Amino acid sequence: MLTIVTTYRIGEAAELLGVSVDTVRRWADAGRLDSVRDEHGHRSIAGADLAAFARSLADEPDSSSRRSSARNRMRGIVTAITRDAVMAQVDIQAGPFRVVSLMSREAVDDLGLEVGSVAVAVIKSTTVLVERGDDR
């Protein structure tokens, strides 16, 4: 069975984390965020590593961030999935916001969601729908 590892370029990681490309480069240079270089010198970050880093950012208090009610579509990275026989919990880090959605396990499986993949949380009233964020 072929295992596909989701990877992100620095610009994609910056967009998902809600920071500048330079910030992601500094984090990588400082060893805070694991990255690898390809044969052309371009950096990439494994999806699972980016998800873990995004979760760690959510745990860090930021006195300059302002909390507000987010609406509509929030693109982010899946940081955790908890499944049981019928239901699943999907955690998404969309910039500075952590979004948690409860949905059927079948929906998670049908969307092919995994830790490190891109997803879009669609907020409508008190309901959060999750769509896969890439073109697969």
Side-chain angles (χ1 to χ4, degrees):
M1 181 172 163
L2 178 65
T3 302
I4 298 173
V5 177
T6 304
T7 60
Y8 297 96
R9 290 186 287 199
I10 294 290
E12 294 171 317
E15 180 183 348
L16 291 169
L17 296 172
V19 298
S20 71
V21 171
D22 287 337
T23 296
V24 175
R25 283 191 186 115
R26 281 193 299 273
W27 286 335
D29 290 342
R32 270 188 85 186
L33 179 58
D34 290 334
S35 68
V36 296
R37 290 187 185 266
D38 65 15
E39 63 275 5
H40 303 290
H42 299 118
R43 294 184 202 198
S44 65
I45 301 165
D49 291 341
L50 186 59
F53 185 76
R55 182 173 287 275
S56 75
L57 288 180
D59 294 338
E60 293 178 6
D62 181 1
S63 61
S64 67
S65 69
R66 185 172 154 227
R67 299 289 178 183
S68 66
S69 175
R71 293 192 172 100
N72 302 325
R73 301 170 64 86
M74 298 175 68
R75 186 171 189 260
I77 186 169
V78 176
T79 58
I81 299 175
T82 306
R83 294 176 171 93
D84 69 16
V86 177
M87 296 298 293
Q89 175 181 313
V90 177
D91 293 16
I92 300 170
Q93 192 69 36
F97 304 105
R98 177 176 176 240
V99 179
V100 178
S101 179
L102 301 176
M103 64 183 70
S104 71
R105 179 187 179 123
E106 181 180 18
V108 171
D109 294 341
D110 287 347
L111 288 169
L113 294 176
E114 61 186 38
V115 171
S117 62
V118 175
V120 178
V122 180
I123 290 93
K124 175 66 177 157
S125 187
T126 59
T127 303
V128 176
L129 306 173
V130 176
E131 300 173 341
R132 188 154 176 109
D134 54 14
D135 295 329
R136 290 188 211 181

